[in-house]
Amino acid sequence: MVKHISSFGRNGVHDYLLIRATAIIMTLYTVYLVSFCAFTDISYLSWTQFFGGSFTKVFTMLALMSVLIHAWIGLWQVLTDYIKCAKLRGGLQLGVIAVLFGYFFSGLFILWGA
C-alpha cells in the first residue's frame, strides 16, 4: 500500500469515509440554517442572537472544518489525477493549503472574535 503524505486520511477508505462524514455534517448544517431562515423573521437582532449562541458557533466551526476537509480531499484527488508534473502539483497543493488555512482562520476570527 502506498502512503501519501499529502492525503488527509491514511488511505482511500479513510478518505472515502471522511468525505461521507463531512457531507453529512454539511447537510445537517444546511438544514439547521434553512430551518432558522424559514421559521424566523430575519433581522439584524435575530441574526446576531442566532450566531451569538454557543451551539451555533460550535456547529458553524464544525461545518467550516467539514467544508475544508471535504475540499482538501477532493482537490488533492483532482490534482494528483490530472497534474503529472510533481513540482507544479506540489505548488498547487501548497496554494490550496494556504487558501484553506486562510478560510479557517477567517472563519475562526469572524465567528469567535465578535
Side-chain angles (χ1 to χ4, degrees), residues 10-59:
R10 284 167 278 206
N11 58 32
V13 174
H14 287 97
D15 286 346
Y16 175 83
L17 292 174
L18 281 171
I19 288 285
R20 297 305 178 253
T22 56
I24 290 169
I25 292 169
M26 290 185 291
T27 302
L28 292 174
Y29 186 72
T30 301
V31 169
Y32 181 64
L33 280 181
V34 168
S35 64
F36 171 76
C37 293
F39 299 115
T40 306
D41 183 31
I42 298 177
S43 65
Y44 178 77
L45 181 62
S46 66
W47 194 252
T48 55
Q49 286 176 347
F50 177 69
F51 276 100
S54 296
F55 178 78
T56 302
K57 285 184 179 184
V58 170
F59 199 19

mmCIF file of all heavy atoms in Angstrom, residues 10-59:
data_model
loop_
_atom_site.group_PDB
_atom_site.id
_atom_site.type_symbol
_atom_site.label_atom_id
_atom_site.label_comp_id
_atom_site.label_asym_id
_atom_site.label_seq_id
_atom_site.Cartn_x
_atom_site.Cartn_y
_atom_site.Cartn_z
ATOM 1 N N ARG A 10 -5.468 8.046 5.823
ATOM 2 C CA ARG A 10 -4.324 7.173 5.624
ATOM 3 C C ARG A 10 -4.390 6.425 4.302
ATOM 4 O O ARG A 10 -3.388 6.011 3.773
ATOM 5 C CB ARG A 10 -4.202 6.200 6.778
ATOM 6 C CG ARG A 10 -3.628 6.881 8.009
ATOM 7 C CD ARG A 10 -3.813 6.010 9.175
ATOM 8 N NE ARG A 10 -5.196 6.286 9.579
ATOM 9 C CZ ARG A 10 -5.676 6.140 10.781
ATOM 10 N NH1 ARG A 10 -4.954 5.653 11.707
ATOM 11 N NH2 ARG A 10 -6.893 6.454 11.079
ATOM 12 N N ASN A 11 -5.590 6.217 3.803
ATOM 13 C CA ASN A 11 -5.738 5.547 2.513
ATOM 14 C C ASN A 11 -7.072 5.938 1.901
ATOM 15 O O ASN A 11 -7.791 6.771 2.447
ATOM 16 C CB ASN A 11 -5.605 4.024 2.663
ATOM 17 C CG ASN A 11 -6.618 3.448 3.611
ATOM 18 O OD1 ASN A 11 -7.722 3.954 3.720
ATOM 19 N ND2 ASN A 11 -6.251 2.380 4.295
ATOM 20 N N GLY A 12 -7.408 5.286 0.794
ATOM 21 C CA GLY A 12 -8.631 5.638 0.094
ATOM 22 C C GLY A 12 -9.895 5.400 0.896
ATOM 23 O O GLY A 12 -10.860 6.155 0.785
ATOM 24 N N VAL A 13 -9.896 4.371 1.724
ATOM 25 C CA VAL A 13 -11.073 4.088 2.540
ATOM 26 C C VAL A 13 -11.291 5.191 3.565
ATOM 27 O O VAL A 13 -12.417 5.661 3.772
ATOM 28 C CB VAL A 13 -10.945 2.710 3.237
ATOM 29 C CG1 VAL A 13 -12.099 2.471 4.194
ATOM 30 C CG2 VAL A 13 -10.873 1.603 2.201
ATOM 31 N N HIS A 14 -10.221 5.643 4.188
ATOM 32 C CA HIS A 14 -10.341 6.725 5.167
ATOM 33 C C HIS A 14 -10.804 8.017 4.485
ATOM 34 O O HIS A 14 -11.642 8.744 5.027
ATOM 35 C CB HIS A 14 -9.007 6.951 5.894
ATOM 36 C CG HIS A 14 -8.686 5.873 6.863
ATOM 37 N ND1 HIS A 14 -7.849 4.831 6.542
ATOM 38 C CD2 HIS A 14 -9.093 5.664 8.134
ATOM 39 C CE1 HIS A 14 -7.755 4.026 7.582
ATOM 40 N NE2 HIS A 14 -8.502 4.502 8.566
ATOM 41 N N ASP A 15 -10.245 8.306 3.318
ATOM 42 C CA ASP A 15 -10.685 9.485 2.584
ATOM 43 C C ASP A 15 -12.159 9.380 2.214
ATOM 44 O O ASP A 15 -12.911 10.349 2.332
ATOM 45 C CB ASP A 15 -9.849 9.684 1.314
ATOM 46 C CG ASP A 15 -8.449 10.206 1.619
ATOM 47 O OD1 ASP A 15 -8.214 10.661 2.757
ATOM 48 O OD2 ASP A 15 -7.605 10.164 0.714
ATOM 49 N N TYR A 16 -12.585 8.199 1.783
ATOM 50 C CA TYR A 16 -13.984 7.971 1.427
ATOM 51 C C TYR A 16 -14.889 8.211 2.637
ATOM 52 O O TYR A 16 -15.921 8.889 2.543
ATOM 53 C CB TYR A 16 -14.160 6.540 0.908
ATOM 54 C CG TYR A 16 -15.582 6.160 0.612
ATOM 55 C CD1 TYR A 16 -16.174 6.495 -0.595
ATOM 56 C CD2 TYR A 16 -16.342 5.450 1.540
ATOM 57 C CE1 TYR A 16 -17.484 6.142 -0.875
ATOM 58 C CE2 TYR A 16 -17.647 5.097 1.274
ATOM 59 C CZ TYR A 16 -18.214 5.440 0.068
ATOM 60 O OH TYR A 16 -19.504 5.094 -0.193
ATOM 61 N N LEU A 17 -14.507 7.667 3.789
ATOM 62 C CA LEU A 17 -15.313 7.847 4.991
ATOM 63 C C LEU A 17 -15.332 9.299 5.451
ATOM 64 O O LEU A 17 -16.372 9.801 5.908
ATOM 65 C CB LEU A 17 -14.797 6.933 6.109
ATOM 66 C CG LEU A 17 -15.002 5.432 5.872
ATOM 67 C CD1 LEU A 17 -14.321 4.627 6.968
ATOM 68 C CD2 LEU A 17 -16.473 5.089 5.771
ATOM 69 N N LEU A 18 -14.189 9.981 5.341
ATOM 70 C CA LEU A 18 -14.152 11.399 5.698
ATOM 71 C C LEU A 18 -15.047 12.234 4.782
ATOM 72 O O LEU A 18 -15.749 13.137 5.249
ATOM 73 C CB LEU A 18 -12.722 11.929 5.645
ATOM 74 C CG LEU A 18 -11.845 11.603 6.840
ATOM 75 C CD1 LEU A 18 -10.398 11.989 6.559
ATOM 76 C CD2 LEU A 18 -12.352 12.316 8.077
ATOM 77 N N ILE A 19 -15.031 11.933 3.496
ATOM 78 C CA ILE A 19 -15.899 12.650 2.557
ATOM 79 C C ILE A 19 -17.363 12.450 2.927
ATOM 80 O O ILE A 19 -18.148 13.398 2.935
ATOM 81 C CB ILE A 19 -15.632 12.178 1.102
ATOM 82 C CG1 ILE A 19 -14.299 12.695 0.602
ATOM 83 C CG2 ILE A 19 -16.753 12.579 0.162
ATOM 84 C CD1 ILE A 19 -14.290 14.168 0.252
ATOM 85 N N ARG A 20 -17.740 11.218 3.234
ATOM 86 C CA ARG A 20 -19.137 10.937 3.585
ATOM 87 C C ARG A 20 -19.519 11.591 4.909
ATOM 88 O O ARG A 20 -20.606 12.136 5.052
ATOM 89 C CB ARG A 20 -19.387 9.424 3.637
ATOM 90 C CG ARG A 20 -19.191 8.711 2.323
ATOM 91 C CD ARG A 20 -20.033 9.328 1.211
ATOM 92 N NE ARG A 20 -19.802 8.681 -0.053
ATOM 93 C CZ ARG A 20 -19.115 9.235 -1.067
ATOM 94 N NH1 ARG A 20 -18.576 10.424 -0.941
ATOM 95 N NH2 ARG A 20 -18.967 8.605 -2.205
ATOM 96 N N ALA A 21 -18.644 11.521 5.896
ATOM 97 C CA ALA A 21 -18.937 12.123 7.201
ATOM 98 C C ALA A 21 -19.060 13.646 7.087
ATOM 99 O O ALA A 21 -19.980 14.246 7.662
ATOM 100 C CB ALA A 21 -17.856 11.752 8.208
ATOM 101 N N THR A 22 -18.147 14.275 6.346
ATOM 102 C CA THR A 22 -18.225 15.726 6.201
ATOM 103 C C THR A 22 -19.459 16.123 5.402
ATOM 104 O O THR A 22 -20.070 17.158 5.682
ATOM 105 C CB THR A 22 -16.962 16.290 5.536
ATOM 106 O OG1 THR A 22 -16.749 15.653 4.273
ATOM 107 C CG2 THR A 22 -15.748 16.101 6.433
ATOM 108 N N ALA A 23 -19.860 15.312 4.435
ATOM 109 C CA ALA A 23 -21.074 15.606 3.674
ATOM 110 C C ALA A 23 -22.308 15.553 4.568
ATOM 111 O O ALA A 23 -23.213 16.385 4.441
ATOM 112 C CB ALA A 23 -21.215 14.633 2.508
ATOM 113 N N ILE A 24 -22.337 14.612 5.493
ATOM 114 C CA ILE A 24 -23.467 14.519 6.428
ATOM 115 C C ILE A 24 -23.503 15.743 7.332
ATOM 116 O O ILE A 24 -24.571 16.331 7.557
ATOM 117 C CB ILE A 24 -23.375 13.215 7.251
ATOM 118 C CG1 ILE A 24 -23.662 12.014 6.347
ATOM 119 C CG2 ILE A 24 -24.337 13.241 8.435
ATOM 120 C CD1 ILE A 24 -23.354 10.680 6.985
ATOM 121 N N ILE A 25 -22.357 16.157 7.847
ATOM 122 C CA ILE A 25 -22.304 17.335 8.717
ATOM 123 C C ILE A 25 -22.746 18.584 7.953
ATOM 124 O O ILE A 25 -23.521 19.400 8.465
ATOM 125 C CB ILE A 25 -20.897 17.512 9.310
ATOM 126 C CG1 ILE A 25 -20.605 16.384 10.291
ATOM 127 C CG2 ILE A 25 -20.743 18.869 9.987
ATOM 128 C CD1 ILE A 25 -19.173 16.303 10.746
ATOM 129 N N MET A 26 -22.284 18.733 6.709
ATOM 130 C CA MET A 26 -22.679 19.895 5.918
ATOM 131 C C MET A 26 -24.180 19.876 5.608
ATOM 132 O O MET A 26 -24.827 20.924 5.604
ATOM 133 C CB MET A 26 -21.866 19.967 4.626
ATOM 134 C CG MET A 26 -20.414 20.315 4.860
ATOM 135 S SD MET A 26 -19.469 20.551 3.350
ATOM 136 C CE MET A 26 -19.398 18.902 2.693
ATOM 137 N N THR A 27 -24.739 18.697 5.392
ATOM 138 C CA THR A 27 -26.178 18.593 5.150
ATOM 139 C C THR A 27 -26.972 18.978 6.390
ATOM 140 O O THR A 27 -27.956 19.723 6.304
ATOM 141 C CB THR A 27 -26.540 17.158 4.721
ATOM 142 O OG1 THR A 27 -25.802 16.826 3.540
ATOM 143 C CG2 THR A 27 -28.020 17.014 4.455
ATOM 144 N N LEU A 28 -26.558 18.490 7.546
ATOM 145 C CA LEU A 28 -27.231 18.847 8.791
ATOM 146 C C LEU A 28 -27.140 20.343 9.070
ATOM 147 O O LEU A 28 -28.111 20.972 9.519
ATOM 148 C CB LEU A 28 -26.643 18.047 9.954
ATOM 149 C CG LEU A 28 -26.920 16.551 9.949
ATOM 150 C CD1 LEU A 28 -26.151 15.862 11.076
ATOM 151 C CD2 LEU A 28 -28.405 16.273 10.042
ATOM 152 N N TYR A 29 -25.988 20.933 8.796
ATOM 153 C CA TYR A 29 -25.826 22.376 8.999
ATOM 154 C C TYR A 29 -26.725 23.160 8.047
ATOM 155 O O TYR A 29 -27.320 24.170 8.439
ATOM 156 C CB TYR A 29 -24.361 22.775 8.819
ATOM 157 C CG TYR A 29 -24.099 24.219 9.152
ATOM 158 C CD1 TYR A 29 -24.128 24.669 10.465
ATOM 159 C CD2 TYR A 29 -23.821 25.152 8.156
ATOM 160 C CE1 TYR A 29 -23.891 25.986 10.790
ATOM 161 C CE2 TYR A 29 -23.575 26.479 8.462
ATOM 162 C CZ TYR A 29 -23.616 26.889 9.779
ATOM 163 O OH TYR A 29 -23.390 28.210 10.089
ATOM 164 N N THR A 30 -26.830 22.696 6.805
ATOM 165 C CA THR A 30 -27.704 23.366 5.836
ATOM 166 C C THR A 30 -29.159 23.297 6.294
ATOM 167 O O THR A 30 -29.881 24.300 6.228
ATOM 168 C CB THR A 30 -27.543 22.719 4.449
ATOM 169 O OG1 THR A 30 -26.179 22.837 4.045
ATOM 170 C CG2 THR A 30 -28.437 23.383 3.427
ATOM 171 N N VAL A 31 -29.584 22.148 6.775
ATOM 172 C CA VAL A 31 -30.949 22.004 7.295
ATOM 173 C C VAL A 31 -31.156 22.930 8.489
ATOM 174 O O VAL A 31 -32.202 23.581 8.622
ATOM 175 C CB VAL A 31 -31.238 20.532 7.664
ATOM 176 C CG1 VAL A 31 -32.530 20.381 8.450
ATOM 177 C CG2 VAL A 31 -31.267 19.679 6.409
ATOM 178 N N TYR A 32 -30.163 23.027 9.353
ATOM 179 C CA TYR A 32 -30.226 23.909 10.526
ATOM 180 C C TYR A 32 -30.390 25.368 10.109
ATOM 181 O O TYR A 32 -31.264 26.075 10.640
ATOM 182 C CB TYR A 32 -28.947 23.711 11.356
ATOM 183 C CG TYR A 32 -28.846 24.517 12.616
ATOM 184 C CD1 TYR A 32 -29.735 24.339 13.659
ATOM 185 C CD2 TYR A 32 -27.816 25.450 12.791
ATOM 186 C CE1 TYR A 32 -29.625 25.059 14.831
ATOM 187 C CE2 TYR A 32 -27.696 26.178 13.958
ATOM 188 C CZ TYR A 32 -28.603 25.977 14.971
ATOM 189 O OH TYR A 32 -28.500 26.702 16.130
ATOM 190 N N LEU A 33 -29.595 25.820 9.153
ATOM 191 C CA LEU A 33 -29.697 27.209 8.698
ATOM 192 C C LEU A 33 -31.003 27.483 7.951
ATOM 193 O O LEU A 33 -31.630 28.521 8.155
ATOM 194 C CB LEU A 33 -28.518 27.566 7.798
ATOM 195 C CG LEU A 33 -27.211 27.919 8.480
ATOM 196 C CD1 LEU A 33 -26.150 28.264 7.445
ATOM 197 C CD2 LEU A 33 -27.380 29.063 9.443
ATOM 198 N N VAL A 34 -31.396 26.556 7.086
ATOM 199 C CA VAL A 34 -32.635 26.745 6.322
ATOM 200 C C VAL A 34 -33.842 26.764 7.252
ATOM 201 O O VAL A 34 -34.759 27.579 7.078
ATOM 202 C CB VAL A 34 -32.770 25.665 5.230
ATOM 203 C CG1 VAL A 34 -34.157 25.652 4.628
ATOM 204 C CG2 VAL A 34 -31.729 25.885 4.150
ATOM 205 N N SER A 35 -33.855 25.909 8.256
ATOM 206 C CA SER A 35 -34.971 25.914 9.203
ATOM 207 C C SER A 35 -35.002 27.205 10.011
ATOM 208 O O SER A 35 -36.090 27.728 10.290
ATOM 209 C CB SER A 35 -34.919 24.695 10.114
ATOM 210 O OG SER A 35 -33.760 24.726 10.916
ATOM 211 N N PHE A 36 -33.842 27.736 10.371
ATOM 212 C CA PHE A 36 -33.824 29.027 11.062
ATOM 213 C C PHE A 36 -34.393 30.121 10.163
ATOM 214 O O PHE A 36 -35.229 30.920 10.598
ATOM 215 C CB PHE A 36 -32.404 29.400 11.498
ATOM 216 C CG PHE A 36 -32.301 30.809 12.013
ATOM 217 C CD1 PHE A 36 -32.756 31.129 13.274
ATOM 218 C CD2 PHE A 36 -31.768 31.825 11.217
ATOM 219 C CE1 PHE A 36 -32.687 32.443 13.752
ATOM 220 C CE2 PHE A 36 -31.688 33.116 11.682
ATOM 221 C CZ PHE A 36 -32.144 33.430 12.950
ATOM 222 N N CYS A 37 -33.958 30.150 8.923
ATOM 223 C CA CYS A 37 -34.430 31.180 7.991
ATOM 224 C C CYS A 37 -35.912 31.020 7.670
ATOM 225 O O CYS A 37 -36.617 32.009 7.475
ATOM 226 C CB CYS A 37 -33.611 31.141 6.699
ATOM 227 S SG CYS A 37 -31.897 31.636 6.927
ATOM 228 N N ALA A 38 -36.408 29.789 7.632
ATOM 229 C CA ALA A 38 -37.805 29.546 7.280
ATOM 230 C C ALA A 38 -38.756 29.905 8.410
ATOM 231 O O ALA A 38 -39.875 30.362 8.155
ATOM 232 C CB ALA A 38 -37.988 28.083 6.894
ATOM 233 N N PHE A 39 -38.329 29.713 9.650
ATOM 234 C CA PHE A 39 -39.229 29.890 10.774
ATOM 235 C C PHE A 39 -38.958 31.142 11.608
ATOM 236 O O PHE A 39 -39.542 31.295 12.672
ATOM 237 C CB PHE A 39 -39.200 28.655 11.680
ATOM 238 C CG PHE A 39 -39.639 27.405 10.975
ATOM 239 C CD1 PHE A 39 -38.752 26.369 10.768
ATOM 240 C CD2 PHE A 39 -40.925 27.284 10.497
ATOM 241 C CE1 PHE A 39 -39.149 25.213 10.118
ATOM 242 C CE2 PHE A 39 -41.340 26.135 9.841
ATOM 243 C CZ PHE A 39 -40.449 25.098 9.646
ATOM 244 N N THR A 40 -38.093 32.010 11.139
ATOM 245 C CA THR A 40 -37.754 33.211 11.891
ATOM 246 C C THR A 40 -37.864 34.427 10.990
ATOM 247 O O THR A 40 -37.473 34.386 9.828
ATOM 248 C CB THR A 40 -36.317 33.120 12.433
ATOM 249 O OG1 THR A 40 -36.169 31.925 13.184
ATOM 250 C CG2 THR A 40 -35.977 34.299 13.320
ATOM 251 N N ASP A 41 -38.392 35.498 11.553
ATOM 252 C CA ASP A 41 -38.381 36.769 10.835
ATOM 253 C C ASP A 41 -36.962 37.321 10.971
ATOM 254 O O ASP A 41 -36.554 37.751 12.046
ATOM 255 C CB ASP A 41 -39.405 37.726 11.445
ATOM 256 C CG ASP A 41 -39.488 39.031 10.681
ATOM 257 O OD1 ASP A 41 -39.262 39.008 9.449
ATOM 258 O OD2 ASP A 41 -39.770 40.062 11.313
ATOM 259 N N ILE A 42 -36.229 37.287 9.883
ATOM 260 C CA ILE A 42 -34.805 37.607 9.948
ATOM 261 C C ILE A 42 -34.599 39.113 10.031
ATOM 262 O O ILE A 42 -35.065 39.876 9.187
ATOM 263 C CB ILE A 42 -34.060 37.023 8.744
ATOM 264 C CG1 ILE A 42 -34.165 35.505 8.758
ATOM 265 C CG2 ILE A 42 -32.598 37.455 8.760
ATOM 266 C CD1 ILE A 42 -33.538 34.830 7.587
ATOM 267 N N SER A 43 -33.912 39.494 11.070
ATOM 268 C CA SER A 43 -33.477 40.883 11.253
ATOM 269 C C SER A 43 -32.040 40.836 11.776
ATOM 270 O O SER A 43 -31.504 39.763 12.072
ATOM 271 C CB SER A 43 -34.394 41.607 12.241
ATOM 272 O OG SER A 43 -34.270 41.033 13.527
ATOM 273 N N TYR A 44 -31.444 41.994 11.880
ATOM 274 C CA TYR A 44 -30.077 42.035 12.393
ATOM 275 C C TYR A 44 -30.023 41.476 13.812
ATOM 276 O O TYR A 44 -29.115 40.710 14.149
ATOM 277 C CB TYR A 44 -29.546 43.469 12.364
ATOM 278 C CG TYR A 44 -28.161 43.592 12.934
ATOM 279 C CD1 TYR A 44 -27.052 43.192 12.194
ATOM 280 C CD2 TYR A 44 -27.956 44.075 14.218
ATOM 281 C CE1 TYR A 44 -25.773 43.283 12.709
ATOM 282 C CE2 TYR A 44 -26.677 44.172 14.747
ATOM 283 C CZ TYR A 44 -25.594 43.778 13.990
ATOM 284 O OH TYR A 44 -24.335 43.862 14.504
ATOM 285 N N LEU A 45 -31.018 41.814 14.630
ATOM 286 C CA LEU A 45 -31.038 41.353 16.015
ATOM 287 C C LEU A 45 -31.182 39.832 16.096
ATOM 288 O O LEU A 45 -30.445 39.170 16.843
ATOM 289 C CB LEU A 45 -32.169 42.037 16.776
ATOM 290 C CG LEU A 45 -32.301 41.673 18.251
ATOM 291 C CD1 LEU A 45 -31.047 42.087 19.013
ATOM 292 C CD2 LEU A 45 -33.524 42.332 18.839
ATOM 293 N N SER A 46 -32.122 39.278 15.334
ATOM 294 C CA SER A 46 -32.308 37.828 15.386
ATOM 295 C C SER A 46 -31.090 37.091 14.835
ATOM 296 O O SER A 46 -30.710 36.023 15.336
ATOM 297 C CB SER A 46 -33.566 37.417 14.622
ATOM 298 O OG SER A 46 -33.420 37.674 13.246
ATOM 299 N N TRP A 47 -30.466 37.655 13.807
ATOM 300 C CA TRP A 47 -29.283 37.023 13.209
ATOM 301 C C TRP A 47 -28.111 37.032 14.190
ATOM 302 O O TRP A 47 -27.406 36.037 14.336
ATOM 303 C CB TRP A 47 -28.936 37.746 11.915
ATOM 304 C CG TRP A 47 -27.974 37.018 11.035
ATOM 305 C CD1 TRP A 47 -26.678 37.342 10.809
ATOM 306 C CD2 TRP A 47 -28.224 35.847 10.259
ATOM 307 N NE1 TRP A 47 -26.112 36.442 9.932
ATOM 308 C CE2 TRP A 47 -27.036 35.519 9.572
ATOM 309 C CE3 TRP A 47 -29.345 35.042 10.073
ATOM 310 C CZ2 TRP A 47 -26.935 34.418 8.737
ATOM 311 C CZ3 TRP A 47 -29.241 33.956 9.231
ATOM 312 C CH2 TRP A 47 -28.045 33.660 8.569
ATOM 313 N N THR A 48 -27.883 38.159 14.871
ATOM 314 C CA THR A 48 -26.781 38.231 15.839
ATOM 315 C C THR A 48 -27.051 37.355 17.055
ATOM 316 O O THR A 48 -26.125 36.748 17.598
ATOM 317 C CB THR A 48 -26.503 39.678 16.287
ATOM 318 O OG1 THR A 48 -27.711 40.256 16.785
ATOM 319 C CG2 THR A 48 -25.965 40.517 15.144
ATOM 320 N N GLN A 49 -28.311 37.261 17.476
ATOM 321 C CA GLN A 49 -28.629 36.369 18.588
ATOM 322 C C GLN A 49 -28.448 34.908 18.192
ATOM 323 O O GLN A 49 -27.975 34.095 18.997
ATOM 324 C CB GLN A 49 -30.061 36.598 19.064
ATOM 325 C CG GLN A 49 -30.235 37.875 19.834
ATOM 326 C CD GLN A 49 -31.685 38.128 20.210
ATOM 327 O OE1 GLN A 49 -32.592 37.482 19.696
ATOM 328 N NE2 GLN A 49 -31.901 39.079 21.104
ATOM 329 N N PHE A 50 -28.818 34.585 16.961
ATOM 330 C CA PHE A 50 -28.666 33.214 16.468
ATOM 331 C C PHE A 50 -27.199 32.812 16.449
ATOM 332 O O PHE A 50 -26.828 31.740 16.931
ATOM 333 C CB PHE A 50 -29.280 33.108 15.071
ATOM 334 C CG PHE A 50 -29.131 31.762 14.441
ATOM 335 C CD1 PHE A 50 -29.820 30.670 14.936
ATOM 336 C CD2 PHE A 50 -28.326 31.590 13.339
ATOM 337 C CE1 PHE A 50 -29.704 29.422 14.341
ATOM 338 C CE2 PHE A 50 -28.195 30.346 12.730
ATOM 339 C CZ PHE A 50 -28.886 29.260 13.235
ATOM 340 N N PHE A 51 -26.340 33.669 15.900
ATOM 341 C CA PHE A 51 -24.920 33.346 15.838
ATOM 342 C C PHE A 51 -24.192 33.680 17.127
ATOM 343 O O PHE A 51 -23.010 33.377 17.259
ATOM 344 C CB PHE A 51 -24.264 34.042 14.644
ATOM 345 C CG PHE A 51 -24.425 33.284 13.369
ATOM 346 C CD1 PHE A 51 -25.394 33.643 12.458
ATOM 347 C CD2 PHE A 51 -23.630 32.189 13.099
ATOM 348 C CE1 PHE A 51 -25.569 32.926 11.289
ATOM 349 C CE2 PHE A 51 -23.784 31.462 11.937
ATOM 350 C CZ PHE A 51 -24.767 31.840 11.026
ATOM 351 N N GLY A 52 -24.849 34.259 18.091
ATOM 352 C CA GLY A 52 -24.244 34.518 19.390
ATOM 353 C C GLY A 52 -24.292 33.319 20.312
ATOM 354 O O GLY A 52 -23.544 33.245 21.291
ATOM 355 N N GLY A 53 -25.153 32.374 19.989
ATOM 356 C CA GLY A 53 -25.284 31.175 20.818
ATOM 357 C C GLY A 53 -24.102 30.239 20.640
ATOM 358 O O GLY A 53 -23.540 30.102 19.553
ATOM 359 N N SER A 54 -23.735 29.581 21.718
ATOM 360 C CA SER A 54 -22.575 28.681 21.684
ATOM 361 C C SER A 54 -22.794 27.502 20.746
ATOM 362 O O SER A 54 -21.878 27.092 20.034
ATOM 363 C CB SER A 54 -22.271 28.155 23.084
ATOM 364 O OG SER A 54 -21.891 29.219 23.921
ATOM 365 N N PHE A 55 -24.017 26.943 20.733
ATOM 366 C CA PHE A 55 -24.284 25.799 19.872
ATOM 367 C C PHE A 55 -24.080 26.168 18.407
ATOM 368 O O PHE A 55 -23.455 25.412 17.651
ATOM 369 C CB PHE A 55 -25.708 25.275 20.093
ATOM 370 C CG PHE A 55 -26.052 24.128 19.191
ATOM 371 C CD1 PHE A 55 -25.578 22.859 19.466
ATOM 372 C CD2 PHE A 55 -26.826 24.323 18.055
ATOM 373 C CE1 PHE A 55 -25.872 21.788 18.634
ATOM 374 C CE2 PHE A 55 -27.132 23.268 17.216
ATOM 375 C CZ PHE A 55 -26.657 21.988 17.503
ATOM 376 N N THR A 56 -24.598 27.318 18.005
ATOM 377 C CA THR A 56 -24.468 27.746 16.611
ATOM 378 C C THR A 56 -23.014 28.019 16.264
ATOM 379 O O THR A 56 -22.559 27.669 15.167
ATOM 380 C CB THR A 56 -25.324 28.995 16.351
ATOM 381 O OG1 THR A 56 -26.684 28.691 16.679
ATOM 382 C CG2 THR A 56 -25.249 29.417 14.898
ATOM 383 N N LYS A 57 -22.264 28.609 17.176
ATOM 384 C CA LYS A 57 -20.847 28.864 16.913
ATOM 385 C C LYS A 57 -20.066 27.564 16.733
ATOM 386 O O LYS A 57 -19.272 27.429 15.797
ATOM 387 C CB LYS A 57 -20.228 29.691 18.046
ATOM 388 C CG LYS A 57 -20.621 31.135 18.030
ATOM 389 C CD LYS A 57 -19.901 31.894 19.126
ATOM 390 C CE LYS A 57 -20.273 33.353 19.100
ATOM 391 N NZ LYS A 57 -19.527 34.121 20.095
ATOM 392 N N VAL A 58 -20.289 26.616 17.620
ATOM 393 C CA VAL A 58 -19.579 25.344 17.530
ATOM 394 C C VAL A 58 -20.006 24.590 16.275
ATOM 395 O O VAL A 58 -19.158 24.041 15.555
ATOM 396 C CB VAL A 58 -19.815 24.497 18.805
ATOM 397 C CG1 VAL A 58 -19.294 23.076 18.634
ATOM 398 C CG2 VAL A 58 -19.165 25.168 19.999
ATOM 399 N N PHE A 59 -21.304 24.581 15.992
ATOM 400 C CA PHE A 59 -21.805 23.884 14.812
ATOM 401 C C PHE A 59 -21.286 24.541 13.530
ATOM 402 O O PHE A 59 -20.948 23.861 12.562
ATOM 403 C CB PHE A 59 -23.330 23.864 14.833
ATOM 404 C CG PHE A 59 -23.962 22.826 13.947
ATOM 405 C CD1 PHE A 59 -23.261 21.730 13.477
ATOM 406 C CD2 PHE A 59 -25.294 22.938 13.602
ATOM 407 C CE1 PHE A 59 -23.857 20.777 12.671
ATOM 408 C CE2 PHE A 59 -25.904 21.990 12.791
ATOM 409 C CZ PHE A 59 -25.185 20.913 12.325
#
